[in-house]
Structure formats: C-alpha cells, structure tokens
Amino acid sequence: MTTSTLNYFDYLDLARQEYQNLLKKYPELTHLSPREMEVFSHLLSDKTQKQIAEELYISPSSVHFHCKNIYQKLNVNSRTQILIRYKELCRN
C-alpha cells in the first residue's frame, strides 16, 4: 500500500486550483480585495461581525466597512442574500 502525502507546495497548488475553480463559478468574487475575501469567507459562517473582527485582528468598524464594500461589489443588500447566493460555500 502506497501512502501519498502532500508537501507544502502541493497544498499551495491545491489551494490555487480550488480558488480558480471558485472564481470560474463565481467570477464576481474577483472584484473583492484579499481582505474582503477573508471577511466574505467569515460571512458564510454564523459568526458575528465582532467575532470576525477578533479572528482577523481588526476593529468591528473595519469589518462593517468591508461588509458594506462586499455587499456593493456583489450587488446584495444583506448577509442573508450572501448566504442564499453562496449557500454551497457555507461551512457550517
């Protein structure tokens, strides 16, 4: 039996491939900045904005600011709309 392990660079390649697949399915996500993508991924969870801020080591007002930008760029008005549109990405 052969066991295959991934090294650091294999994980990076896998992450890049997954990210490219995500962008093919949801091209509008290319408009988000790297920090907005981080906040966006947390918005798909049940975390509050305060919890997101703590995890990302930023202020709650910064999270709020990023959320407003994300909503505008994705043409949504609420977190609920994000959850509906991107429900298969939710990790709950």
Side-chain angles (χ1 to χ4, degrees):
M1 175 186 252
T2 308
T3 339
S4 171
T5 59
L6 295 175
N7 66 35
Y8 175 77
F9 296 105
D10 293 333
Y11 280 113
L12 287 178
D13 286 339
L14 184 61
R16 270 190 221 101
Q17 290 170 6
E18 287 297 317
Y19 182 66
Q20 291 306 316
N21 290 338
L22 177 69
L23 294 182
K24 284 179 188 172
K25 187 165 186 171
Y26 302 106
E28 67 275 14
L29 295 179
T30 60
H31 301 298
L32 301 182
S33 71
R35 182 57 108 180
E36 289 168 347
M37 278 298 287
E38 283 182 297
V39 173
F40 170 78
S41 69
H42 286 278
L43 289 174
L44 297 175
S45 71
D46 59 352
K47 297 172 188 161
T48 65
Q49 286 191 9
K50 182 179 178 187
Q51 291 169 323
I52 293 169
E54 289 170 358
E55 285 194 26
L56 296 178
Y57 301 103
I58 59 178
S59 71
S61 63
S62 292
V63 172
H64 182 73
F65 174 79
H66 290 305
C67 286
K68 284 177 29 177
N69 288 338
I70 291 166
Y71 294 173
Q72 181 180 14
K73 290 177 179 182
L74 297 181
N75 197 28
V76 296
N77 296 313
S78 69
R79 188 173 185 172
T80 302
Q81 288 180 335
I82 285 178
L83 291 170
I84 291 168
R85 186 178 295 173
Y86 303 97
K87 63 185 169 202
E88 67 269 3
L89 298 179
C90 295
R91 297 179 233 149
N92 293 342

